[in-house]
Amino acid sequence: MMMNLIKDCITFFQAGGVFMYPLAACSVLLIAAVIYRMFNMKKSLICPAVLTRAVEQYTRGAVGRTELERIAADSDSVEGRLVLDALNAPLEDEASLKEMIQVKAREEFVTLQAGLPLLDMIVMIAPMFGILGTASGLVQIFSVFGMDESHGMIALGIAQALNTTIAGLAIATPAVIAHVYYSRKLERISASMEVLLTELVSFRCHHSQR
């Protein structure tokens, strides 16, 4: 059964014509981008739960600054670096400190967005290659239409037109799903981290003024 499936896939690929090769490249890039995002979006690398709890406890006075700095440094995470920046920045003005942390956070999240532009590109170009294959197949059909013994060429043209369209949509659909999923996940993390860091900055500034 597996061998038949492999043979069917090879036949499908060959019938699609030359535009199946860039579509195959798009599928490989899609898999690579999704795998990269899976590892890059681990919560332990962005906002580990132990550090989030420590920041919340610090703003309530239950954890000391030294202990929070140790947990942040040990976490080796995006949130950890931002927490250390918020605690150790020479700025005392709350508005200036918040602005500095926002700039640092934007720099961190630009790095976290790596891979999303690739998914966006695949979403756009995979259907385009499918349409090109469709147009190429239609040209092949009409170029032999009406000729004697043209049935085989017409069948090949139809196969190319349909196969590339199917392949393009089959690649673009999971790319859209992955792009939306990781974009929304990054937005949720960004929002929750912004709230946490704002509370930390406010606590530090008010505490230092006493």
PDB file of all heavy atoms in Angstrom, residues 32-57:
ATOM      1  N   ALA A  32      10.457  23.501   6.799  1.00  0.00           N
ATOM      2  CA  ALA A  32      11.589  24.059   7.541  1.00  0.00           C
ATOM      3  C   ALA A  32      11.146  25.234   8.410  1.00  0.00           C
ATOM      4  O   ALA A  32      11.564  25.357   9.575  1.00  0.00           O
ATOM      5  CB  ALA A  32      12.679  24.500   6.573  1.00  0.00           C
ATOM      6  N   ALA A  33      10.301  26.120   7.863  1.00  0.00           N
ATOM      7  CA  ALA A  33       9.841  27.284   8.619  1.00  0.00           C
ATOM      8  C   ALA A  33       8.995  26.880   9.820  1.00  0.00           C
ATOM      9  O   ALA A  33       9.137  27.448  10.909  1.00  0.00           O
ATOM     10  CB  ALA A  33       9.043  28.210   7.703  1.00  0.00           C
ATOM     11  N   VAL A  34       8.125  25.890   9.635  1.00  0.00           N
ATOM     12  CA  VAL A  34       7.266  25.441  10.738  1.00  0.00           C
ATOM     13  C   VAL A  34       8.106  24.790  11.840  1.00  0.00           C
ATOM     14  O   VAL A  34       7.894  25.052  13.037  1.00  0.00           O
ATOM     15  CB  VAL A  34       6.196  24.459  10.224  1.00  0.00           C
ATOM     16  CG1 VAL A  34       5.467  23.791  11.386  1.00  0.00           C
ATOM     17  CG2 VAL A  34       5.195  25.182   9.334  1.00  0.00           C
ATOM     18  N   ILE A  35       9.067  23.964  11.458  1.00  0.00           N
ATOM     19  CA  ILE A  35       9.941  23.330  12.457  1.00  0.00           C
ATOM     20  C   ILE A  35      10.734  24.389  13.213  1.00  0.00           C
ATOM     21  O   ILE A  35      10.874  24.341  14.447  1.00  0.00           O
ATOM     22  CB  ILE A  35      10.887  22.320  11.784  1.00  0.00           C
ATOM     23  CG1 ILE A  35      10.086  21.125  11.250  1.00  0.00           C
ATOM     24  CG2 ILE A  35      11.951  21.832  12.770  1.00  0.00           C
ATOM     25  CD1 ILE A  35      10.902  20.147  10.450  1.00  0.00           C
ATOM     26  N   TYR A  36      11.244  25.385  12.484  1.00  0.00           N
ATOM     27  CA  TYR A  36      11.997  26.463  13.134  1.00  0.00           C
ATOM     28  C   TYR A  36      11.115  27.229  14.116  1.00  0.00           C
ATOM     29  O   TYR A  36      11.539  27.542  15.232  1.00  0.00           O
ATOM     30  CB  TYR A  36      12.545  27.422  12.080  1.00  0.00           C
ATOM     31  CG  TYR A  36      13.256  28.619  12.664  1.00  0.00           C
ATOM     32  CD1 TYR A  36      14.549  28.502  13.181  1.00  0.00           C
ATOM     33  CD2 TYR A  36      12.634  29.864  12.725  1.00  0.00           C
ATOM     34  CE1 TYR A  36      15.194  29.590  13.730  1.00  0.00           C
ATOM     35  CE2 TYR A  36      13.277  30.961  13.277  1.00  0.00           C
ATOM     36  CZ  TYR A  36      14.557  30.815  13.775  1.00  0.00           C
ATOM     37  OH  TYR A  36      15.189  31.887  14.328  1.00  0.00           O
ATOM     38  N   ARG A  37       9.876  27.530  13.713  1.00  0.00           N
ATOM     39  CA  ARG A  37       8.975  28.243  14.601  1.00  0.00           C
ATOM     40  C   ARG A  37       8.633  27.417  15.836  1.00  0.00           C
ATOM     41  O   ARG A  37       8.477  27.955  16.935  1.00  0.00           O
ATOM     42  CB  ARG A  37       7.678  28.620  13.865  1.00  0.00           C
ATOM     43  CG  ARG A  37       7.817  29.572  12.719  1.00  0.00           C
ATOM     44  CD  ARG A  37       8.473  30.850  13.118  1.00  0.00           C
ATOM     45  NE  ARG A  37       7.783  31.506  14.224  1.00  0.00           N
ATOM     46  CZ  ARG A  37       8.266  32.533  14.903  1.00  0.00           C
ATOM     47  NH1 ARG A  37       9.464  33.008  14.620  1.00  0.00           N
ATOM     48  NH2 ARG A  37       7.581  33.084  15.881  1.00  0.00           N
ATOM     49  N   MET A  38       8.509  26.106  15.674  1.00  0.00           N
ATOM     50  CA  MET A  38       8.185  25.242  16.807  1.00  0.00           C
ATOM     51  C   MET A  38       9.262  25.344  17.885  1.00  0.00           C
ATOM     52  O   MET A  38       8.960  25.421  19.086  1.00  0.00           O
ATOM     53  CB  MET A  38       8.040  23.794  16.346  1.00  0.00           C
ATOM     54  CG  MET A  38       6.772  23.505  15.563  1.00  0.00           C
ATOM     55  SD  MET A  38       6.759  21.836  14.874  1.00  0.00           S
ATOM     56  CE  MET A  38       6.875  20.859  16.368  1.00  0.00           C
ATOM     57  N   PHE A  39      10.529  25.349  17.471  1.00  0.00           N
ATOM     58  CA  PHE A  39      11.623  25.433  18.438  1.00  0.00           C
ATOM     59  C   PHE A  39      11.817  26.868  18.926  1.00  0.00           C
ATOM     60  O   PHE A  39      12.173  27.094  20.086  1.00  0.00           O
ATOM     61  CB  PHE A  39      12.914  24.900  17.811  1.00  0.00           C
ATOM     62  CG  PHE A  39      12.951  23.414  17.676  1.00  0.00           C
ATOM     63  CD1 PHE A  39      12.675  22.797  16.464  1.00  0.00           C
ATOM     64  CD2 PHE A  39      13.233  22.603  18.766  1.00  0.00           C
ATOM     65  CE1 PHE A  39      12.695  21.418  16.336  1.00  0.00           C
ATOM     66  CE2 PHE A  39      13.249  21.225  18.654  1.00  0.00           C
ATOM     67  CZ  PHE A  39      12.979  20.624  17.442  1.00  0.00           C
ATOM     68  N   ASN A  40      11.612  27.835  18.056  1.00  0.00           N
ATOM     69  CA  ASN A  40      11.850  29.241  18.400  1.00  0.00           C
ATOM     70  C   ASN A  40      10.774  29.807  19.317  1.00  0.00           C
ATOM     71  O   ASN A  40      11.003  30.801  20.012  1.00  0.00           O
ATOM     72  CB  ASN A  40      11.918  30.084  17.122  1.00  0.00           C
ATOM     73  CG  ASN A  40      12.514  31.452  17.361  1.00  0.00           C
ATOM     74  OD1 ASN A  40      13.461  31.600  18.111  1.00  0.00           O
ATOM     75  ND2 ASN A  40      11.974  32.467  16.708  1.00  0.00           N
ATOM     76  N   MET A  41       9.594  29.189  19.319  1.00  0.00           N
ATOM     77  CA  MET A  41       8.467  29.712  20.094  1.00  0.00           C
ATOM     78  C   MET A  41       8.244  28.941  21.395  1.00  0.00           C
ATOM     79  O   MET A  41       7.169  29.012  21.984  1.00  0.00           O
ATOM     80  CB  MET A  41       7.193  29.676  19.254  1.00  0.00           C
ATOM     81  CG  MET A  41       7.158  30.678  18.115  1.00  0.00           C
ATOM     82  SD  MET A  41       7.043  32.373  18.691  1.00  0.00           S
ATOM     83  CE  MET A  41       5.372  32.390  19.310  1.00  0.00           C
ATOM     84  N   LYS A  42       9.242  28.208  21.839  1.00  0.00           N
ATOM     85  CA  LYS A  42       9.112  27.514  23.120  1.00  0.00           C
ATOM     86  C   LYS A  42       8.938  28.530  24.245  1.00  0.00           C
ATOM     87  O   LYS A  42       9.662  29.527  24.313  1.00  0.00           O
ATOM     88  CB  LYS A  42      10.342  26.657  23.389  1.00  0.00           C
ATOM     89  CG  LYS A  42      10.389  25.364  22.595  1.00  0.00           C
ATOM     90  CD  LYS A  42      11.589  24.530  23.007  1.00  0.00           C
ATOM     91  CE  LYS A  42      11.610  23.199  22.287  1.00  0.00           C
ATOM     92  NZ  LYS A  42      12.788  22.374  22.675  1.00  0.00           N
ATOM     93  N   LYS A  43       7.999  28.266  25.127  1.00  0.00           N
ATOM     94  CA  LYS A  43       7.723  29.210  26.203  1.00  0.00           C
ATOM     95  C   LYS A  43       8.926  29.393  27.115  1.00  0.00           C
ATOM     96  O   LYS A  43       9.146  30.476  27.660  1.00  0.00           O
ATOM     97  CB  LYS A  43       6.510  28.723  27.004  1.00  0.00           C
ATOM     98  CG  LYS A  43       5.927  29.802  27.911  1.00  0.00           C
ATOM     99  CD  LYS A  43       4.610  29.367  28.512  1.00  0.00           C
ATOM    100  CE  LYS A  43       4.019  30.500  29.357  1.00  0.00           C
ATOM    101  NZ  LYS A  43       2.730  30.106  29.953  1.00  0.00           N
ATOM    102  N   SER A  44       9.716  28.342  27.287  1.00  0.00           N
ATOM    103  CA  SER A  44      10.884  28.428  28.156  1.00  0.00           C
ATOM    104  C   SER A  44      11.936  29.384  27.605  1.00  0.00           C
ATOM    105  O   SER A  44      12.775  29.895  28.358  1.00  0.00           O
ATOM    106  CB  SER A  44      11.505  27.040  28.346  1.00  0.00           C
ATOM    107  OG  SER A  44      11.917  26.504  27.095  1.00  0.00           O
ATOM    108  N   LEU A  45      11.913  29.639  26.294  1.00  0.00           N
ATOM    109  CA  LEU A  45      12.864  30.561  25.679  1.00  0.00           C
ATOM    110  C   LEU A  45      12.349  31.992  25.643  1.00  0.00           C
ATOM    111  O   LEU A  45      13.121  32.917  25.374  1.00  0.00           O
ATOM    112  CB  LEU A  45      13.190  30.106  24.250  1.00  0.00           C
ATOM    113  CG  LEU A  45      13.851  28.734  24.086  1.00  0.00           C
ATOM    114  CD1 LEU A  45      14.020  28.408  22.606  1.00  0.00           C
ATOM    115  CD2 LEU A  45      15.191  28.704  24.796  1.00  0.00           C
ATOM    116  N   ILE A  46      11.071  32.187  25.889  1.00  0.00           N
ATOM    117  CA  ILE A  46      10.477  33.524  25.799  1.00  0.00           C
ATOM    118  C   ILE A  46      10.072  34.032  27.175  1.00  0.00           C
ATOM    119  O   ILE A  46      10.572  35.057  27.650  1.00  0.00           O
ATOM    120  CB  ILE A  46       9.270  33.523  24.851  1.00  0.00           C
ATOM    121  CG1 ILE A  46       9.674  32.991  23.470  1.00  0.00           C
ATOM    122  CG2 ILE A  46       8.690  34.937  24.721  1.00  0.00           C
ATOM    123  CD1 ILE A  46       8.526  32.845  22.507  1.00  0.00           C
ATOM    124  N   CYS A  47       9.144  33.351  27.802  1.00  0.00           N
ATOM    125  CA  CYS A  47       8.657  33.808  29.117  1.00  0.00           C
ATOM    126  C   CYS A  47       8.397  32.600  30.012  1.00  0.00           C
ATOM    127  O   CYS A  47       7.247  32.171  30.157  1.00  0.00           O
ATOM    128  CB  CYS A  47       7.396  34.655  28.960  1.00  0.00           C
ATOM    129  SG  CYS A  47       6.095  33.874  27.969  1.00  0.00           S
ATOM    130  N   PRO A  48       9.449  32.040  30.618  1.00  0.00           N
ATOM    131  CA  PRO A  48       9.263  30.876  31.487  1.00  0.00           C
ATOM    132  C   PRO A  48       8.362  31.177  32.671  1.00  0.00           C
ATOM    133  O   PRO A  48       8.396  32.286  33.223  1.00  0.00           O
ATOM    134  CB  PRO A  48      10.699  30.540  31.944  1.00  0.00           C
ATOM    135  CG  PRO A  48      11.490  31.780  31.695  1.00  0.00           C
ATOM    136  CD  PRO A  48      10.853  32.458  30.536  1.00  0.00           C
ATOM    137  N   ALA A  49       7.570  30.197  33.040  1.00  0.00           N
ATOM    138  CA  ALA A  49       6.570  30.406  34.094  1.00  0.00           C
ATOM    139  C   ALA A  49       7.211  30.769  35.426  1.00  0.00           C
ATOM    140  O   ALA A  49       6.674  31.594  36.180  1.00  0.00           O
ATOM    141  CB  ALA A  49       5.721  29.147  34.243  1.00  0.00           C
ATOM    142  N   VAL A  50       8.378  30.172  35.732  1.00  0.00           N
ATOM    143  CA  VAL A  50       9.028  30.447  37.014  1.00  0.00           C
ATOM    144  C   VAL A  50       9.453  31.908  37.115  1.00  0.00           C
ATOM    145  O   VAL A  50       9.350  32.523  38.201  1.00  0.00           O
ATOM    146  CB  VAL A  50      10.237  29.502  37.213  1.00  0.00           C
ATOM    147  CG1 VAL A  50      11.301  29.736  36.141  1.00  0.00           C
ATOM    148  CG2 VAL A  50      10.836  29.680  38.602  1.00  0.00           C
ATOM    149  N   LEU A  51       9.888  32.495  36.011  1.00  0.00           N
ATOM    150  CA  LEU A  51      10.282  33.904  36.017  1.00  0.00           C
ATOM    151  C   LEU A  51       9.066  34.817  36.115  1.00  0.00           C
ATOM    152  O   LEU A  51       9.091  35.824  36.837  1.00  0.00           O
ATOM    153  CB  LEU A  51      11.089  34.231  34.759  1.00  0.00           C
ATOM    154  CG  LEU A  51      11.514  35.694  34.590  1.00  0.00           C
ATOM    155  CD1 LEU A  51      12.339  36.160  35.778  1.00  0.00           C
ATOM    156  CD2 LEU A  51      12.289  35.884  33.291  1.00  0.00           C
ATOM    157  N   THR A  52       8.005  34.474  35.405  1.00  0.00           N
ATOM    158  CA  THR A  52       6.781  35.271  35.478  1.00  0.00           C
ATOM    159  C   THR A  52       6.249  35.307  36.907  1.00  0.00           C
ATOM    160  O   THR A  52       5.854  36.370  37.417  1.00  0.00           O
ATOM    161  CB  THR A  52       5.716  34.700  34.530  1.00  0.00           C
ATOM    162  OG1 THR A  52       6.220  34.712  33.188  1.00  0.00           O
ATOM    163  CG2 THR A  52       4.439  35.519  34.584  1.00  0.00           C
ATOM    164  N   ARG A  53       6.260  34.155  37.581  1.00  0.00           N
ATOM    165  CA  ARG A  53       5.811  34.102  38.984  1.00  0.00           C
ATOM    166  C   ARG A  53       6.724  34.938  39.882  1.00  0.00           C
ATOM    167  O   ARG A  53       6.256  35.621  40.800  1.00  0.00           O
ATOM    168  CB  ARG A  53       5.773  32.657  39.468  1.00  0.00           C
ATOM    169  CG  ARG A  53       4.598  31.846  38.939  1.00  0.00           C
ATOM    170  CD  ARG A  53       4.394  30.581  39.738  1.00  0.00           C
ATOM    171  NE  ARG A  53       5.585  29.739  39.705  1.00  0.00           N
ATOM    172  CZ  ARG A  53       5.819  28.793  38.790  1.00  0.00           C
ATOM    173  NH1 ARG A  53       4.913  28.571  37.831  1.00  0.00           N
ATOM    174  NH2 ARG A  53       6.909  28.071  38.826  1.00  0.00           N
ATOM    175  N   ALA A  54       8.032  34.869  39.597  1.00  0.00           N
ATOM    176  CA  ALA A  54       8.979  35.627  40.415  1.00  0.00           C
ATOM    177  C   ALA A  54       8.763  37.132  40.268  1.00  0.00           C
ATOM    178  O   ALA A  54       8.841  37.878  41.256  1.00  0.00           O
ATOM    179  CB  ALA A  54      10.411  35.260  40.022  1.00  0.00           C
ATOM    180  N   VAL A  55       8.484  37.599  39.051  1.00  0.00           N
ATOM    181  CA  VAL A  55       8.212  39.025  38.843  1.00  0.00           C
ATOM    182  C   VAL A  55       6.942  39.436  39.580  1.00  0.00           C
ATOM    183  O   VAL A  55       6.896  40.498  40.235  1.00  0.00           O
ATOM    184  CB  VAL A  55       8.090  39.346  37.337  1.00  0.00           C
ATOM    185  CG1 VAL A  55       7.648  40.788  37.132  1.00  0.00           C
ATOM    186  CG2 VAL A  55       9.408  39.098  36.625  1.00  0.00           C
ATOM    187  N   GLU A  56       5.906  38.614  39.488  1.00  0.00           N
ATOM    188  CA  GLU A  56       4.657  38.915  40.181  1.00  0.00           C
ATOM    189  C   GLU A  56       4.868  38.965  41.693  1.00  0.00           C
ATOM    190  O   GLU A  56       4.323  39.843  42.384  1.00  0.00           O
ATOM    191  CB  GLU A  56       3.597  37.866  39.816  1.00  0.00           C
ATOM    192  CG  GLU A  56       3.148  37.935  38.359  1.00  0.00           C
ATOM    193  CD  GLU A  56       2.262  36.771  37.963  1.00  0.00           C
ATOM    194  OE1 GLU A  56       2.183  35.795  38.758  1.00  0.00           O
ATOM    195  OE2 GLU A  56       1.649  36.817  36.876  1.00  0.00           O
ATOM    196  N   GLN A  57       5.664  38.035  42.214  1.00  0.00           N
ATOM    197  CA  GLN A  57       5.945  38.023  43.648  1.00  0.00           C
ATOM    198  C   GLN A  57       6.802  39.224  44.054  1.00  0.00           C
ATOM    199  O   GLN A  57       6.621  39.796  45.144  1.00  0.00           O
ATOM    200  CB  GLN A  57       6.655  36.712  44.029  1.00  0.00           C
ATOM    201  CG  GLN A  57       5.762  35.493  43.919  1.00  0.00           C
ATOM    202  CD  GLN A  57       6.525  34.192  44.097  1.00  0.00           C
ATOM    203  OE1 GLN A  57       7.758  34.174  44.103  1.00  0.00           O
ATOM    204  NE2 GLN A  57       5.804  33.090  44.238  1.00  0.00           N
TER     205      GLN A  57
END
